[in-house]
Amino acid sequence: MKLGLDRREAGVVSVDAVVAGVFERGDKDDALPRSLAKDAEVVPGLLAPAWERREVRGRRKETTILHRPGGKGRLVLLGLGPRSAYTPEVARRAAAEAVRALKGRGARTLGFRLASFVTEDAPADAVVRALADGAVLGAYEFLRYRSSHDAGVEEATVFLGEEHAREEAALRRALDEEDVLLESVVRTREIVNTPADTATPEWLAEEARRIGKEVGVKVTVYDEKKLAEMHCGGILAVGGGSVHPPRLVVLEYGGGARGGRTVAVVGKGITFDSGGISLKPPEAMADMKFDKAGACAVLGIVRAAALLKAPPRVVGVLACAENLPSGSSYRPGDLVRTYNGRTIEVLNTDAEGRVVLSDALGFVVDKFHPDEVIDLATLTGACVIALGDDMGGLIASDDRLASGLLAAAGATGEPLWRLPLTDYHRELVKSDVADVRNHTEMKVAGALTAGAFLETFVGRVPWAHLDIAGPSFTSPSTRKWQPAYQNIGATAFGVRLVTRYLLDSGK
Ligand code: BES
Ligand code: MN
Ligand code: ZN
């Protein structure tokens, strides 16, 4: 999708579809409001009757398409719901609904009339970003394995009009930044959607190398031999059952601010999670190519941070392995020694994410002395049960880091909910024979005991853990309830959120 910005009025330029927002009308709102006057001109004589017959009510998810008689062009009216409940997130969803409604209908160019989406609670720069997000992500489909598809909108332009023409420079900066972010989101979605027969740990490492070259960041790949020398017993154990050996990948972006802080961003990269010897049932296994979403998000985050020159130095770490049952798999009962010497009692080979992360966290803290560590992992089904599949769970040892991430979550529409971590959860992961156990006999608070496990590998560094098992992908069964900008498959959840955090964290 090509994104653009134009200071003129939407109606005067020839686009295939002029898109405007409409707030929900009251029962007594009979006359066409003045705010729709410019839109009425796009389709002379057509909007007033549709309004009078109450075909346009402004409810959320309501899309009205009116065709310009005797000429090219359409007006697309998007219901935004009550004005009092309106936020940029509503615009993000509505924009995605517009591109989806136009798909396969011959409209290639679209123009948003910015003023119709801006209110006191939704300032123009946030709306410009939201409209760009909705257009790009709503149009996104994973096409690499399809031989044909319907063409859709290819170019989306935000029209400022007289209301916003004076803010052109600032809005252009916002749009250009969002464009880079969205490229990274799409790149991440492509990688996460790639199935495990292709997307092996070696392939993920190669993708990291390609991205590193593209944006000028240093990439180091540790293969299974090197991992053995480094005593990364966790990654080696989890990857031991697959013919595709594990990899630890490190990307280093130097930072845009002199003497800036170092933020480590660590991702779980299980290219396929069968559960291993503690095998999953088939229904639970179907979506497990998505179990690398955390590591792939790290690729998108480092890419965007480097291109946008985020202030802090960023060290991205991908812990990649394939979790399969075989004669060389790790087993329940195994005792594993990790990078920093801490030992793990393996009681369930399906709790593998925390085992690969143990090495990655121990390694990055020891080697890079980061000021903060953020990890992203599709870690527990328990988190999805607790919070649903539209938000991530946040566990943080540091309130400043937590509030920074929650602010970024609010700004990007990638929601997080903070979860507790107490001595009770720490107690539950203690082992009789090792330092920690990867599974508890008490089937309670699964997302939190996973957090308690990870915490022991981070030490005292301010740390935040994002459990993205729910929002990292959309399946056909849940698609209906998801925003229109989350198509079936990978969402790249975390890329916009964590990059926003990094961009703002120097301020
Ligand atoms: N990758 C799964 C978690 C998951 C579940 C991700 C659903 C996405 C959607 C993880 O490795 C796992 O299997 N977790 C187990 C942990 C349990 C064995 C302690 C779980 O959640 O059941
Ligand atoms: Mn698992
Ligand atoms: Zn997993």
Side-chain angles (χ1 to χ4, degrees), residues 241-308:
S242 171
V243 295
H244 302 294
R247 293 287 182 266
L248 184 76
V249 183
V250 180
L251 300 95
E252 293 169 65
Y253 156 67
R258 234 183 294 162
R261 300 170 311 125
T262 299
V263 182
V265 188
V266 180
K268 168 178 172 181
I270 299 299
T271 57
F272 184 72
D273 182 12
S274 70
I277 297 295
S278 314
L279 198 65
K280 286 182 185 294
E283 323 79 70
M285 219 188 280
D287 286 326
M288 284 303 125
K289 70 167 182 180
F290 298 121
D291 213 21
K292 59 186 180 300
C296 302
V298 172
L299 290 179
I301 292 162
V302 173
R303 181 187 184 278
L307 288 174
L308 298 173

Side-chain angles (χ1 to χ4, degrees), residues 24-31 54 57 59:
E24 192 163 323
R25 64 198 274 191
D27 291 339
K28 293 194 186 95
D29 297 340
D30 291 327
R54 296 199 165 263
R57 298 201 290 175
R59 296 198 168 178

Side-chain angles (χ1 to χ4, degrees), residues 203-215:
W203 184 87
L204 276 186
E206 288 312 313
E207 280 295 294
R209 283 217 166 94
R210 279 189 277 276
I211 287 173
K213 256 210 195 100
E214 181 191 327
V215 304

Side-chain angles (χ1 to χ4, degrees), residues 268 270 273-275 278 280 284 287-288 290-291 323 348-354 377-384 438-440 446-447 449-450 467-470 472-473:
K268 168 178 172 181
I270 299 299
D273 182 12
S274 70
S278 314
K280 286 182 185 294
D287 286 326
M288 284 303 125
F290 298 121
D291 213 21
N323 188 22
N348 187 318
T349 62
D350 196 13
E352 83 298 335
R354 62 198 79 180
T378 48
L379 206 61
T380 66
C383 195
V384 192
N438 81 331
H439 193 236
T440 63
T449 52
D467 192 329
I468 58 169
S472 62
F473 64 93

